[in-house]
Amino acid sequence: MADNKNTAADAVDEELKAAAAEETSNPDIVKAVTEKLPDEELLYDVAELFKVFGDSTRVRIICALFESEMCVCDIAGVLNMTQSAISHQLRVLKQARLVKYRREGKTVFYSLADKHIQTIFDQAFEHIME
């Protein structure tokens, strides 16, 4: 039954795209661009990633982690915030796979998950400073 709904929805989606292309001044361009757009699910995931960057506290945490791996108490000290507030934001960053952690005894140290995060921020800073 679900397959029939998806097939029907896909058919309607294709009809809407065709109708939209006919109503444009450049249907060939509309068709070519539409075919190259990433899948909706991928676009949704990218939007969710950018939402994570939409909080200045999380951005500050990421910038602090550019400099050094740190525990919650050290990040809290750098940002002059409570450990509870930092822990909450680190949870969001972990869920987005932007930070990773390692245990050393009772202490948990956080660092950036990979170099892509630094690249994203370098590009953002370059864009803002233009």
Side-chain angles (χ1 to χ4, degrees):
M1 180 97 174
D3 290 335
N4 290 341
K5 286 184 181 178
N6 286 342
T7 304
D10 290 343
V12 169
D13 192 38
E14 288 302 316
E15 288 177 24
L16 290 173
K17 287 178 185 177
E22 289 175 11
E23 294 176 8
T24 66
S25 60
N26 296 299
D28 293 337
I29 292 172
V30 171
K31 184 176 187 268
V33 171
T34 301
E35 289 172 357
K36 292 195 182 242
L37 285 177
D39 181 63
E40 281 295 322
E41 189 172 325
L42 179 61
L43 293 173
Y44 175 83
D45 291 344
V46 169
E48 289 300 308
L49 175 66
F50 283 122
K51 284 181 187 177
V52 173
F53 293 138
D55 181 274
S56 62
T57 298
R58 291 192 290 264
V59 169
R60 291 173 65 211
I61 291 170
I62 290 169
C63 288
L65 293 176
F66 288 155
E67 303 305 319
S68 179
E69 172 185 71
M70 288 187 275
C71 65
V72 172
C73 61
D74 290 341
I75 297 169
V78 168
L79 301 184
N80 195 28
M81 296 179 68
T82 65
Q83 289 184 32
S84 175
I86 297 300
S87 292
H88 172 74
Q89 298 302 336
L90 284 168
R91 189 175 318 111
V92 174
L93 293 169
K94 283 190 299 188
Q95 288 172 343
R97 299 179 316 179
L98 296 173
V99 299
K100 60 184 178 182
Y101 65 95
R102 68 175 181 84
R103 287 192 183 278
E104 193 173 294
K106 292 183 178 183
T107 306
V108 178
F109 290 93
Y110 293 88
S111 61
L112 297 178
D114 58 47
K115 292 291 181 190
H116 293 113
I117 300 143
Q118 179 79 47
T119 302
I120 292 167
F121 272 73
D122 288 345
Q123 291 290 311
F125 288 131
E126 184 178 326
H127 177 74
I128 296 299
M129 292 184 209
E130 284 183 343

